Amino acid sequence: MSLITDEQVVLDLGGDDRHEATRTLAETLVATGRCTDLDAFLADVRAREEKMATGLPGGIGIPHARSAAITEPSLVFGRPVEGIDWGAKDGPATTIFLIAAPEEGGEAHMQMLPKLAKALMDKEFRAQLQSARTKSEVVELVNSRVSLDNAPAKPAAASTTTAAAGATAAAPASDKTSDKTSDRASVPDEVEPTAPTADASTSRRFVAVTSCPTGIAHTYMAAEALENAAREAGHSITVETQGSAGSTPLTARQIVEADAVIFAHDVEVRDKQRFAGKPTVDVGVKKAISDAPALLAQAGRLADEWRKDPSRAQATPASVMDDEPESEGLGTRLRKWLMTGVSYMIPFVAAGGILIALGFMLAQIFGGETGAIDVTKNFTLDPTADAKTITVLQNSFNPLDGMHWAALLFLIGGAAFGFLVPILSGYIAYAIADRPGLVPGIVGGAVAVTMQAGFLGGIATGLLGGLIAKWISGWNVHKNVRGVMPVVVIPLLSTLLTVGLLITVLGRPIKWLSDQLAEGLNSMSGTSAVLLGLIVGAMMGFDLGGPVNKVAYAFATTGLSAAGTATDAPQLKIMAAVMAAGMVAPLGLALATTIRPKLFTEPERENGKAAWLLGASFISEGAIPFAAADPWRVIVASVAGSSVTGALSMAFGATLRAPHGGIWVLPLIGNFALFLVALAAGVLVMTTVVVVLKQAAAKKSTNTLVAA
């Protein structure tokens, strides 16, 4: 069946914003029987939009999603009466395609997207769509360029274009031509394309990798833009698209013969070490779509520099082949490094913390009031503990003894907790120096634990180990030594320097600082505890998943490592306050859209329905659509409500060992009844504030209209 029909063309698309326009387009799929649940599909599209705007330079909007509500791959075309803001910097979208694919329809989906991406990069194709007078004319245009193959094959994820190929591509598209261009990646290495029309002195060979968060449209549009720019400039380029259907990797020969490399990506490039020693341009995926010629020119200049100074290739190992984008400052990079470590640490926190909490719960059931104390006293992984108090479960485990089950959960959770600081440190170093940073980071974190330097020691060794590994990786060494650098030299020297500096220089001041922090937290009570709860609560509610929110969350989760297996540590109270505060914004807005729906647009009311679940699951980002539409009112209300919840949670002494989960980990929350009271109070405060502010704005707007 055709991807698009007359019923799936809207020539006079209306809507106040892209969400209303998307709904109008999606309704055509319901009418044609291709969508079984409109709201579910729109939720999937909205989730994709929240990851990255789907507006592109040139007046293009490509909302898209895979969804269980879609029965077959489909396209819907919309041509707005007036341009609609779709998130592109150069202005509103005038050519819009809604791409819908079944959740399990990956093969068909990935055939469709590269072809549509290539077509949309053609200005003539877009102009023909804009000048089409009838729906049938649009359908004919689209089907001539974008159609599913009768016999689906694995889509090529890498393609090569040359000046010669450009002459072919410039001809009118046909099925035969389309098949050839989609299979250009299969050209054998021995048959290297040439550019006969280009001057050999200026023609270059490039390789590129493109990828976006979902690996769908932007990935392929960036590849097509680079190919077009290379063709026009007389260069050859091979693009590896690391999309959601996998990728066909560039061959070793293609990389070796390339003059330069272009990374256009918003997620980490896989197997980056393959490009060791190559001059590299590293940008976001949208930069390739909007300014591919400039990227090729930049890559060409780098290639000239590398050619004049061959030693630069030797001094550029895979792990450090490119610095952070120039637009990022030191503060941004520090935050990224820290959050990388925290993201890898969180699964250990979740597994260990929940297992320990469950162990304590069982101990209280089977051991009474002293059950939790008995577990921590008689079952331990500490080899220095009194041997008489250690029960080796592998020799004496009794499946009928509830205390043994409690001890088993406690021991496994304690083992997971033992990795928190080393993993935090290791992956901070990994974020800085890639794989060479893992050894000094993990070993340094383990030593920091033995020195009782806590998570501050782990952060320090992660930063130090990563920077040292990156520095050593940049050494200009003899080619005979280069092969053993990542296996022997870098881990050996970086670990020696990192741990040596920690033990001899940094360890004591970091331990002192860690002790002071622990002492300060342990001494918190009354006003000081409430004030801390108010501050972390306000941070959680301020930017709803942004940098400030993440700092508060990182403070809470890294603090869990210092709490260890204690049952009433202040760090557990901070974690409870942070999670409760992070639930306030989406729940407050969900309640506001329920009690005063007329103050919100239809898309916001729909978002409000989803926000109930998002808020209950501790997903603060559920409030972002509201904040994007009305920033200051929503943020003021969010900060007010979250501050109240954080302060009350600390005042009530609620505790939490799990780093995430919302209401789904309610049984693991200490003083959970008061935790819910604190949460409810904050939600009510936020709802009241946002309703009052929006009602005042609506009244002012009405008065202005009447006066006019």
Side-chain angles (χ1 to χ4, degrees):
M1 187 177 291
S2 175
L3 290 168
I4 187 170
T5 65
D6 289 1
E7 290 79 7
Q8 290 159 223
V9 175
V10 183
L11 294 179
D12 297 315
L13 179 63
D16 294 334
D17 56 30
R18 66 180 186 271
H19 303 305
E20 289 188 17
T22 301
R23 170 173 284 273
T24 301
L25 296 174
E27 286 172 348
T28 67
L29 295 176
V30 176
T32 56
R34 298 176 182 231
C35 177
T36 58
D37 188 332
L38 178 62
D39 290 335
F41 174 57
L42 289 173
D44 292 332
V45 174
R46 178 67 65 87
R48 170 62 186 87
E49 291 277 345
E50 289 175 356
K51 292 179 181 178
M52 184 170 68
T54 54
L56 298 171
I60 302 171
I62 46 168
H64 55 271
R66 284 194 177 111
S67 176
I70 298 299
T71 59
E72 60 182 285
S74 305
L75 292 176
V76 183
F77 173 73
R79 192 170 66 191
V81 178
E82 298 179 357
I84 298 175
D85 181 11
W86 225 275
K89 292 183 179 179
D90 68 335
T94 55
T95 302
I96 300 168
F97 275 98
L98 174 63
I99 307 169
E103 194 169 44
E104 304 300 328
E107 192 77 15
H109 196 194
M110 300 316 296
Q111 285 184 40
M112 175 171 51
L113 284 167
K115 294 179 181 179
L116 179 61
K118 292 175 184 291
L120 286 175
M121 298 308 293
D122 183 348
K123 294 180 181 179
E124 182 179 350
F125 176 68
R126 299 201 303 270
Q128 290 172 339
L129 289 174
Q130 288 298 316
S131 61
R133 297 182 178 181
T134 65
K135 295 182 178 182
S136 298
E137 190 176 346
V138 171
V139 172
E140 184 178 351
L141 279 169
V142 173
N143 284 335
S144 69
R145 300 290 293 270
V146 185
S147 60
L148 295 178
D149 299 333
N150 293 329
K154 181 178 179 180
S159 59
T160 304
T161 185
T162 64
T168 302
S174 65
D175 291 341
K176 184 176 180 179
T177 303
S178 177
D179 291 341
K180 286 183 177 180
T181 55
S182 66
D183 292 335
R184 282 178 288 183
S186 62
V187 176
D189 285 348
E190 292 75 9
V191 186
E192 184 66 32
T194 59
T197 61
D199 185 349
S201 63
T202 59
S203 176
R204 302 193 184 281
R205 294 179 179 177
F206 297 112
V207 292
V209 177
T210 61
S211 63
C212 65
T214 54
I216 301 181
H218 293 79
T219 299
Y220 300 99
M221 296 190 80
E224 180 68 7
L226 290 170
E227 291 175 359
N228 289 340
R231 180 187 309 125
E232 292 172 2
H235 303 310
S236 67
I237 188 168
T238 308
V239 184
E240 178 182 316
T241 51
Q242 295 186 351
S244 59
S247 64
T248 301
L250 293 161
T251 66
R253 179 179 175 182
Q254 288 169 332
I255 296 173
V256 168
E257 294 183 349
D259 295 305
V261 180
I262 298 173
F263 291 152
H265 64 118
D266 288 321
V267 295
E268 190 64 28
V269 173
R270 296 194 290 270
D271 298 326
K272 202 173 184 179
Q273 69 279 2
R274 296 173 292 160
F275 305 92
K278 289 290 182 181
T280 305
V281 176
D282 193 325
V283 296
V285 67
K286 282 194 173 182
K287 183 68 173 177
I289 298 173
S290 62
D291 203 4
L295 297 185
L296 291 172
Q298 183 181 352
R301 290 192 297 271
L302 287 176
D304 289 338
E305 295 174 9
W306 253 249
R307 188 172 297 168
K308 294 175 182 177
D309 184 7
S311 64
R312 298 190 64 171
Q314 299 177 5
T316 314
S319 58
V320 291
M321 49 183 302
D322 189 61
D323 293 328
E324 293 290 328
E326 294 179 1
S327 60
E328 292 184 350
L330 178 60
T332 301
R333 281 181 279 170
L334 281 172
R335 180 176 61 83
K336 283 188 174 182
W337 296 339
L338 176 61
M339 291 312 301
T340 298
V342 170
S343 67
Y344 279 97
M345 181 191 74
I346 283 177
F348 290 86
V349 175
I354 291 174
L355 286 171
I356 289 173
L358 291 174
F360 285 153
M361 290 172 61
L362 288 180
Q364 289 176 328
I365 293 172
F366 294 103
E369 294 182 359
T370 62
I373 298 175
D374 292 339
V375 164
T376 57
K377 180 179 179 182
N378 297 323
F379 301 90
T380 179
L381 292 175
D382 186 358
T384 64
D386 186 352
K388 294 181 181 180
T389 67
I390 299 177
T391 299
V392 183
L393 292 178
Q394 68 182 37
N395 296 328
S396 60
F397 181 75
N398 180 5
L400 301 179
D401 189 334
M403 284 296 287
H404 278 205
W405 281 104
L408 181 65
L409 295 176
F410 173 78
L411 284 172
I412 298 173
F417 255 40
F419 289 96
L420 298 190
V421 174
I423 292 298
L424 172 68
S425 175
Y427 280 95
I428 290 174
Y430 172 80
I432 298 172
D434 212 283
R435 281 185 283 188
L438 282 174
V439 175
I442 291 175
V443 175
V447 174
V449 172
T450 63
M451 296 179 65
Q452 298 180 335
F455 76 91
L456 292 179
I459 293 174
T461 55
L463 294 172
L464 184 62
L467 293 172
I468 290 176
K470 186 172 183 177
W471 169 60
I472 297 174
S473 298
W475 288 358
N476 184 12
V477 298
H478 192 274
K479 63 181 180 179
N480 293 334
V481 181
R482 217 176 301 148
V484 298
M485 285 289 289
V487 179
V488 178
V489 178
I490 298 175
L492 172 65
L493 294 181
S494 60
T495 303
L496 175 63
L497 290 173
T498 301
V499 179
L501 287 172
L502 175 68
I503 294 174
T504 59
V505 179
L506 301 175
R508 291 182 64 184
I510 292 175
K511 183 180 183 304
W512 177 84
L513 184 60
S514 182
D515 290 343
Q516 294 302 307
L517 177 60
E519 183 179 337
L521 291 176
N522 289 327
S523 64
M524 279 193 322
S525 61
T527 304
S528 60
V530 171
L531 179 61
L532 179 60
L534 185 146
I535 293 172
V536 296
M539 293 174 70
M540 290 299 294
F542 177 69
D543 54 358
L544 307 169
V548 176
N549 174 287
K550 287 292 189 288
V551 167
Y553 183 65
F555 174 66
T557 52
T558 52
L560 289 178
S561 63
T565 56
T567 58
D568 196 35
Q571 292 87 351
L572 304 183
K573 298 177 183 177
I574 295 171
M575 188 70 248
V578 163
M579 190 170 84
M583 298 167 67
V584 167
L587 290 176
L589 289 164
L591 180 59
T593 57
T594 301
I595 62 176
R596 293 300 305 276
K598 293 184 178 180
L599 294 175
F600 299 88
T601 64
E602 182 182 349
E604 286 177 329
R605 292 195 291 270
E606 293 174 0
N607 285 331
K609 297 174 183 177
W612 285 113
L613 180 59
L614 295 174
S617 302
F618 181 38
I619 301 176
S620 304
E621 289 82 352
I624 288 178
F626 297 90
D630 190 1
W632 85 265
R633 293 182 184 86
V634 171
I635 291 175
V636 167
S638 175
V639 169
S642 300
S643 300
V644 169
T645 291
L648 289 178
S649 177
M650 291 293 287
F652 295 155
T655 60
L656 175 63
R657 192 175 289 280
H660 215 293
I663 62 170
W664 312 112
V665 295
L666 201 61
L668 307 180
I669 298 174
N671 297 328
F672 72 88
L674 292 176
F675 175 91
L676 292 177
V677 170
L679 176 60
V683 170
L684 290 174
V685 168
M686 177 176 182
T687 302
T688 301
V689 173
V690 77
V691 166
V692 168
L693 291 176
K694 280 186 171 289
Q695 188 168 319
K699 184 177 180 181
K700 182 179 179 181
S701 177
T702 302
N703 291 340
T704 302
L705 182 62
V706 170

